Amino acid sequence: MPRWAKLLIGLAAALLAGWLYYGPHGGGARFVDALQQRADLRLSVPDVRGVGVTARMQREPLARLAILSGRADTYQREGMGSFPGINERIRTIPGMGGIRWQGEQGDRVLPLIAETLLLAAAAWLIGLGIGWLLFGRRKRQSFLGDEEFEP
């Protein structure tokens, strides 16, 4: 089997594993559900609860994007000085990709399946590089003939 075919089979296996975790195994939906719970928790603090802002995560396609809606003015959205606004409270959730207010332009994020497949491909490339460094280099040949050079 040619070397490039083996490499493509390895890449396909890594991408398949990423897709299986994201889709049929339900990892993507669980991750977005956890982000939704954290966003709801951040919006339930007394400083924000009275404003009536709600957050929902983008579901079609699944993404790490919180879509905010409610009647918040610029001060409440952006904050001032040491007082964080709603935008900053949601952006600082670990794993959150971005925010957008309903009906407005906001952060652009990749769909979660694209992020998962890119990370799987990056992990495959890192593994390929480590394998090449450890096992793939040929021994240096002596300039006198076919004998291996021993330092």
Side-chain angles (χ1 to χ4, degrees):
M1 182 181 290
R3 181 180 292 169
W4 60 268
K6 293 176 187 177
L7 293 176
L8 287 178
I9 290 170
L11 176 61
L15 294 178
L16 179 67
W19 177 79
L20 284 173
Y21 178 76
Y22 165 82
H25 191 263
R30 281 193 310 274
F31 182 67
V32 171
D33 290 342
L35 288 176
Q36 177 71 52
Q37 289 175 349
R38 290 180 188 139
D40 292 342
L41 185 64
R42 293 277 172 101
L43 293 175
S44 68
V45 296
D47 296 343
V48 181
R49 191 176 335 140
V51 178
V53 174
T54 59
R56 67 178 174 82
M57 299 303 295
Q58 179 175 317
R59 299 283 179 172
E60 292 294 327
L62 280 177
R64 300 180 306 131
L65 179 69
I67 302 169
L68 303 172
S69 60
R71 57 182 202 286
D73 60 18
T74 305
Y75 169 72
Q76 292 165 328
R77 288 183 182 191
E78 302 298 327
M80 178 179 272
S82 63
F83 179 76
I86 296 170
N87 293 350
E88 189 62 28
R89 289 175 191 263
I90 299 299
R91 267 195 188 99
T92 58
I93 295 173
M96 186 65 69
I99 63 165
R100 176 173 64 87
W101 283 86
Q102 186 77 33
E104 298 178 11
Q105 293 292 333
D107 299 336
R108 292 184 182 262
V109 296
L110 282 175
L112 199 54
I113 184 68
E115 288 185 21
T116 303
L117 294 179
L118 284 172
L119 286 173
W124 175 80
L125 277 173
I126 290 169
L128 184 67
I130 291 171
W132 179 81
L133 283 173
L134 295 178
F135 306 110
R137 293 186 288 174
R138 296 182 184 206
K139 295 182 180 179
R140 294 185 350 197
Q141 299 290 322
S142 168
F143 63 91
L144 296 175
D146 293 334
E147 305 152 6
E148 291 184 7
F149 175 73
E150 295 182 20

